[in-house]
Amino acid sequence: MESGVPLLHFWRLTTRLGEAQILLPAALFAALTLSARPASRPFVYRWVALLSAGVVVTIASKVAFIGWGAGWAAVNFTGMSGHAMLSTAVYPVLLGTFASSGAGTRRNVAIGAGCLLSILICVSRLLLGAHSFAEVLAGGLVGALITGLLFSKNHQPLEAVTPVILILLVTWLALMSAFAPSSRTFSAVTELSLYISGQERPYTRSRMMRDFRRQQSR
């Protein structure tokens, strides 16, 4: 049992890197920093628009389930994983963007590193039992689509950003993942779902699966 504690701690720290309260401020800071440079603004505007759309779609999928039970029991789907969507839509973009002023190989390696980190976050959601495979896959695909749409454009290399900015971002991510209080994102989404739907109690995964098993047994 004790030998598994360090690994469990690693996955818990890793999964925190995908929290909205940690990742969205980092993305906003990066966007503001890049938008100070005129040549970077079209890229930043596309990123903010696409990321905002991804957040809306992810929240909508959760609200639809919690408020109205709109899930897919056959694949254990209750809404897209926000961690998976955000990590795949932010980390490859962050690292790839800050490496854009360098050679093409450097930029590709940076994007690859961002993709690897986002994959680790997705895996952490599965290993910690926070989401089903379908939920992680759906969130990851939406985030990957955002990243793909951004880098499919033949934009010019962005203007160089000072290393201080990258150091600040890394420091923020490290400190917040280790010391920030637990995220209340799910509670907030649940409250929003109940308010919109008018329901007194949230629809849950256990209820969905129980109803599904009853239907299958008929």
Side-chain angles (χ1 to χ4, degrees):
M1 292 291 292
E2 292 183 359
S3 61
V5 172
L7 188 58
L8 179 61
H9 186 60
F10 167 78
W11 288 118
R12 284 176 174 170
L13 284 176
T14 300
T15 210
R16 297 218 67 189
L17 290 171
E19 289 183 3
Q21 66 172 350
I22 296 175
L23 205 45
L24 285 179
L28 178 60
F29 175 71
L32 290 174
T33 301
L34 291 169
S35 63
R37 295 158 171 78
S40 304
R41 287 173 187 168
F43 179 88
V44 172
Y45 296 157
R46 288 197 301 272
W47 186 31
V48 171
L50 289 169
L51 185 58
S52 298
V55 170
V56 169
V57 169
T58 301
I59 293 177
S61 72
K62 295 177 181 292
V63 168
F65 175 77
I66 296 172
W68 290 275
W72 188 2
V75 294
N76 197 12
F77 182 84
T78 65
M80 292 187 294
S81 166
H83 284 64
M85 190 283 293
L86 285 175
S87 60
T88 52
V90 173
Y91 283 116
V93 179
L94 277 182
L95 296 181
T97 295
F98 284 115
S100 287
S101 57
T105 301
R106 174 185 167 186
R107 176 184 172 217
N108 291 336
V109 169
I111 294 174
C115 291
L116 178 59
L117 178 56
S118 64
I119 289 173
L120 287 174
I121 293 171
C122 290
V123 171
S124 74
R125 303 307 286 166
L126 294 173
L127 295 181
L128 294 175
H131 284 289
S132 68
F133 178 79
E135 292 161 354
V136 171
L137 178 63
L141 287 176
V142 170
L145 177 62
I146 292 172
T147 296
L149 288 173
L150 280 169
F151 287 118
S152 65
K153 299 289 184 178
N154 295 321
H155 63 280
Q156 296 296 318
L158 305 180
E159 297 178 38
V161 177
T162 61
V164 174
I165 301 301
L166 186 57
I167 292 173
L168 289 174
L169 281 171
V170 171
T171 301
W172 164 265
L173 293 170
L175 291 178
M176 290 294 288
S177 62
F179 302 112
S182 299
S183 175
R184 292 193 68 255
T185 304
F186 183 76
S187 297
V189 172
T190 299
E191 292 174 4
L192 175 64
S193 303
L194 296 179
Y195 177 78
I196 294 176
S197 66
Q199 301 294 326
E200 294 183 358
R201 292 185 296 177
Y203 197 83
T204 62
R205 186 189 304 274
S206 59
R207 179 181 172 185
M208 178 184 72
M209 299 309 296
R210 184 171 62 250
D211 293 344
F212 178 68
R213 285 192 293 268
R214 286 176 179 172
Q215 293 176 359
Q216 294 294 100
S217 62
R218 292 177 181 174

